Amino acid sequence: MEIGLKPEIKTYSGGLGVLAGDTVKAAADHDLDFTAVTLLYRNGYFRQRIEGKEQVEEPQNWPYEEILEDTGEKVSIKIRGRTVDVKIWRHKVKGEKGDAEVLFLDTGLESNTEEDRELTSQLYMGGQEKRLCQEAVLGIAGVKALWETDKETDYYHMNEGHSALLVTEASGKKVFTTHTPVPAGHDTFPQDLVEKVLPQEKIDDLGLEGKLNMTELALENSTYNNAVSDRHAEVTREMFPGYEFDAVTNGIHTDTWVSEPFKKLFDQEINRWCLDPARLTKVAGFSDRKLWEAKKKSKKKLSELLKQNTGQGLNPETFTVGFARRSTSYKRPTLIFRDVDRLDSLAEDYGGLQLVFAGKAHPDDVEGKDLIKRVLEYAGMLENVEVYFVEDYGMGEASRMVSGVDLWLNNPERGKEASGTSGMKAALNGAPQLSTPDGWWLEGHVEGVTGWDIGEDYVEGEDEELIDSRSIYEKMDRILSIYHNDRKAWIKIMKNCITLNASHFNTDRMLKEYLARAYK
Ligand SMILES: *Cc1c(COP(=O)(O)O)cnc(C)c1O
C-alpha cells in the first residue's frame, strides 16, 4: 500500500513504506528478479506544518511525471460495476550489482469517472469503501500490471493484508508478511460493501461469511507467513490462532541510512560493506577520534536542519536525544515529560539537554494531534531542556535525526511495536537506543553495551506509565554520566551499536532470510 524510496517520492506514510523501499533496494543490490507494486498517490500522504502548537495538514503534490517513467501500458479492472483503467508508471531502483523495479498504479485517467480517479490520489485517506477499492486496484490490477509489463512470476509476496486480493487473480505461490500487532491495522470489510465493490466472480472465489478480513484472506492462501520480530511473532500467534508464523526480523538498507561522514569513514577502511554490511564488525578497531568526528559532523547537519526548521540550531556540546514516530497514543511521545521537574533538574546536573521531536499524526487521530500539542506545551515549561519539533517528518528528516543525535528514545507500550526500524538507523550512525523491551530491541539490546532498556522489571498489571517514566529518568542519569565523564566508554558504546546491531539489523540479512525460508 505504500513505498518509501526517497524523500521526493511521496508514496509513503511511515515505517511500513520505508521497509518496503529498503527491501527493494536490497533486492537491487543483489540483482534479484524482484518487482514491487504500489499505488501512485498523486497528492502523497500530507504535508505537516505546525501553526502555533497545532498540526495543520496540506496537500503533498509531487512531480511524479518527472520522477517516474511512463511505461505506456494500461490495464483495467471492474470495481463498483464500472471498468476502471489503470495506468502503469515505473521506477528503476539501482543497486550495487543490479536493479529492481517498482510499478506505480494510477487511476487518474480521463477515461475514468471523477470518483475512480480519486482512488490513487492520496494515501490512507477516505472511508472504508475507498480503501477497499484501492485494495482491489493494488491486488487485482497489480497482478495484471505485472503481466502487462512482462513481469510474470510464480511467486507473490503479500506485504501486509492490503494486497491480499491478488489471490483472486494470481495462481502461483504466495507468501505473506504481517506488520502490526494493533487490531486496527488489519482491514475488515462488511459483506455488503464487498458485494458493492467487487464483481460477482471474485466474490464467489472469496467464500465470504459476513465479512472480508484481509489478513485472514492472505493467511488462507499463503504457503508461508511471518511476523517481523520474534516478539511480534508471539503476539501474532495469539491474534490469529490456527496459523503458523515464522519470524523474520526487519532491517534497514545500510547505504540509504548511513550519514555522509560515517559513510566516508566506512569506505576508507571496509571493503564492499554496502553489499555485505556484516563487515561493519570491523568498526571495533576504528580510531575513537575518527568516530567522534563523524558524529560531530552529523550533529552539525542536524543542527542546520533545526536552524532552518525552527530558527534555532543545536549546541554541539549538549547531549541530544531524538524521538520521531507517528504521533499516536501507544507510542507515548509525552512519557519523558511525566515528571517535568525531575527532567529539568536532571538536565541541570549535566549542563543541559536537547530533545528533538518529529512525527505526523493521521488527520483523523484526534488524540495523536493532541499529543503533538502537549509536547510543544511541555517545551515551554522546562528551563534546562531545549525542545525542538521538526515539521513534516519524512525520510530526509529521519536521516538527519537518527545520525545527528546522541541517543534514540523509543517508548511504546509493550507488545504494540511490531519491530521498529528507526532505532536500527540510529545504531548504524553510532546512536544507542533507550527503549522499552519490544520489537527488534528484545533481540538487539545488550544492557549498557548496545543501549538501555526501559522498565525491564515491569510486571503485567502494574502502572506501566509510572514505572517506565521513572526508569527513563534513572537510565538517563546513568547515560548522561557516561557521556560527560567517560568519553572513551561512550565511544565504545557507539562502536558496539555499529558492530553488534547495524551489522545484523539490515535488509541484506533480512532478504537472505526471506530467500532461505520464504522464497524457497
Ligand atoms: C524509519 C522510518 C520510520 C519507521 O520508524 P519506527 O522506528 O518504525 O517508528 C517511519 N517514518 C520514517 C520517515 C522513517 O524514515
Side-chain angles (χ1 to χ4, degrees):
M1 202 70 169
E2 52 169 311
I3 289 195
L5 290 163
K6 45 177 150 177
E8 57 274 29
I9 298 184
K10 307 286 185 192
T11 54
Y12 67 96
S13 121
L16 181 65
V18 173
L19 179 79
D22 280 11
T23 305
V24 175
K25 290 172 191 172
D29 283 342
H30 292 286
D31 201 20
L32 301 186
D33 190 2
F34 197 99
T35 305
V37 181
T38 190
L39 303 186
L40 176 67
Y41 308 118
R42 299 184 298 279
N43 303 323
Y45 181 47
F46 70 89
R47 199 183 105 79
Q48 176 197 56
R49 264 194 321 107
I50 302 295
E51 233 176 65
K53 293 186 171 64
E54 308 270 350
Q55 167 175 300
V56 180
E57 297 116 26
E58 295 176 342
Q60 198 175 36
N61 298 313
W62 58 289
Y64 61 92
E65 287 147 309
E66 287 161 32
I67 300 176
L68 306 181
E69 178 195 336
D70 183 350
T71 64
E73 306 288 350
K74 237 173 27 180
V75 295
S76 54
I77 54 165
K78 245 206 162 87
I79 306 176
R80 294 187 281 210
R82 297 193 289 266
T83 298
V84 178
D85 293 328
V86 182
K87 184 179 169 63
I88 308 164
W89 298 84
R90 173 168 43 211
H91 184 70
K92 263 210 171 84
V93 175
K94 290 203 173 20
E96 290 288 312
K97 288 206 310 205
D99 45 43
E101 285 186 12
V102 183
L103 304 181
F104 295 81
L105 307 180
D106 176 14
T107 64
L109 302 175
E110 289 289 326
S111 54
N112 293 329
T113 65
E114 184 72 44
E115 195 180 23
D116 292 340
R117 279 180 226 160
E118 286 307 303
L119 293 179
T120 59
S121 65
Q122 218 180 354
L123 175 61
Y124 299 148
M125 302 294 164
Q128 273 215 311
E129 179 172 330
K130 185 171 176 188
R131 175 66 74 89
L132 179 57
C133 293
Q134 290 182 316
E135 295 187 1
V137 175
L138 181 66
I140 300 167
V143 173
K144 292 184 175 188
L146 288 167
W147 294 337
E148 196 64 29
T149 54
D150 298 322
K151 296 283 181 190
E152 274 100 6
T153 177
D154 298 326
Y155 244 115
Y156 295 87
H157 190 160
M158 296 179 277
N159 193 41
E160 260 311 3
H162 303 135
S163 56
L165 284 170
L166 74 80
V167 305
T168 67
E169 193 67 29
S171 53
K173 210 160 165 178
K174 287 122 196 157
V175 301
F176 171 58
T177 303
T178 176
H179 288 268
T180 176
V182 181
H186 298 264
D187 286 326
T188 306
F189 303 104
Q191 182 151 356
D192 54 350
L193 180 63
V194 180
E195 282 169 355
K196 180 179 173 191
V197 167
L198 297 182
Q200 193 55 47
E201 71 268 19
K202 296 283 177 200
I203 295 169
D204 296 342
D205 284 355
L206 293 172
L208 298 177
E209 283 166 16
K211 62 180 168 56
L212 170 62
N213 180 316
M214 296 299 282
T215 304
E216 281 171 11
L217 179 64
L219 289 169
E220 282 298 323
N221 288 279
S222 61
T223 52
Y224 170 93
N225 311 309
N226 74 286
V228 294
S229 69
D230 290 357
R231 174 83 184 105
H232 179 222
E234 285 167 21
V235 175
T236 307
R237 285 176 199 126
E238 279 172 28
M239 283 177 83
F240 297 96
Y243 297 101
E244 280 181 37
F245 291 92
D246 194 7
V248 177
T249 303
N250 284 164
I252 53 159
H253 184 251
T254 310
D255 195 36
T256 300
W257 293 107
V258 69
S259 72
E260 212 48 48
F262 280 97
K263 184 184 167 81
K264 267 200 192 133
L265 197 56
F266 299 164
D267 278 345
Q268 276 168 20
E269 306 198 31
I270 314 174
N271 200 20
R272 282 158 51 96
W273 61 272
C274 271
L275 206 53
D276 183 11
R279 298 184 184 197
L280 289 173
T281 48
K282 277 189 83 75
V283 168
F286 278 23
S287 109
D288 284 7
R289 188 185 50 79
K290 283 189 179 172
L291 217 73
W292 190 246
E293 285 300 315
K295 173 56 71 180
K296 261 172 64 180
K297 284 185 188 149
S298 305
K299 203 168 182 176
K300 191 156 173 248
K301 281 279 181 201
L302 172 62
S303 182
E304 286 162 11
L305 173 74
L306 292 171
K307 178 110 191 159
Q308 243 176 36
N309 210 286
T310 70
Q312 192 186 337
L314 290 170
N315 179 340
E317 308 299 324
T318 307
F319 190 78
T320 306
V321 181
F323 182 102
R325 26 205 22 103
R326 182 160 57 87
S327 181
T328 196
S329 53
Y330 81 80
K331 305 219 184 206
R332 302 190 293 184
T334 55
L335 188 64
I336 193 172
F337 301 113
R338 189 177 159 118
D339 187 341
V340 173
D341 295 334
R342 183 150 177 204
L343 179 63
D344 215 19
S345 77
L346 186 65
E348 190 177 15
D349 291 347
Y350 292 98
L353 185 64
Q354 297 171 139
L355 303 182
V356 185
F357 281 85
K360 298 178 180 180
H362 186 280
D364 298 335
D365 186 352
V366 178
E367 219 178 328
K369 289 203 220 182
D370 188 56
L371 285 167
I372 292 176
K373 194 170 163 193
R374 281 168 52 206
V375 166
L376 295 166
E377 284 167 358
Y378 282 120
M381 299 178 193
L382 293 150
E383 263 176 43
N384 302 292
V385 183
E386 205 61 62
V387 180
Y388 302 78
F389 193 96
V390 181
E391 283 178 321
D392 201 36
Y393 184 55
M395 291 178 74
E397 291 74 17
S399 192
R400 292 279 181 99
M401 282 181 70
V402 294
S403 56
V405 299
D406 298 301
L407 180 75
W408 196 249
L409 177 66
N410 177 46
N411 48 231
E413 290 168 15
R414 290 164 184 73
K416 303 250 172 91
E417 197 73 272
S419 166
T421 51
S422 55
M424 300 174 187
K425 300 170 193 168
L428 172 64
N429 292 283
Q433 212 188 196
L434 170 63
S435 170
T436 24
D438 204 8
W440 81 279
W441 195 231
L442 285 161
E443 297 157 48
H445 159 263
V446 184
E447 184 70 10
V449 176
T450 59
W452 300 266
D453 251 351
I454 295 171
E456 63 267 43
D457 37 11
Y458 164 78
V459 181
E460 186 116 13
E462 291 179 329
D463 185 343
E464 195 177 354
E465 286 239 341
L466 180 68
I467 288 171
D468 288 348
S469 68
R470 275 191 189 150
S471 172
I472 288 176
Y473 303 127
E474 280 161 22
K475 296 281 167 95
M476 285 282 289
D477 198 0
R478 212 178 298 168
I479 292 165
L480 281 157
S481 163
I482 301 170
Y483 183 85
H484 288 289
N485 304 325
D486 192 349
R487 189 55 46 89
K488 201 168 170 55
W490 185 263
I491 295 173
K492 183 73 182 17
I493 292 169
M494 288 173 60
K495 287 183 183 175
N496 295 340
C497 291
I498 301 168
T499 59
L500 299 174
N501 283 343
S503 65
H504 181 78
F505 295 96
N506 53 65
T507 42
D508 175 70
R509 184 267 317 154
M510 183 193 82
L511 196 61
K512 284 173 181 159
E513 286 188 28
Y514 278 116
L515 281 166
R517 284 143 61 185
Y519 310 156
K520 279 191 294 214

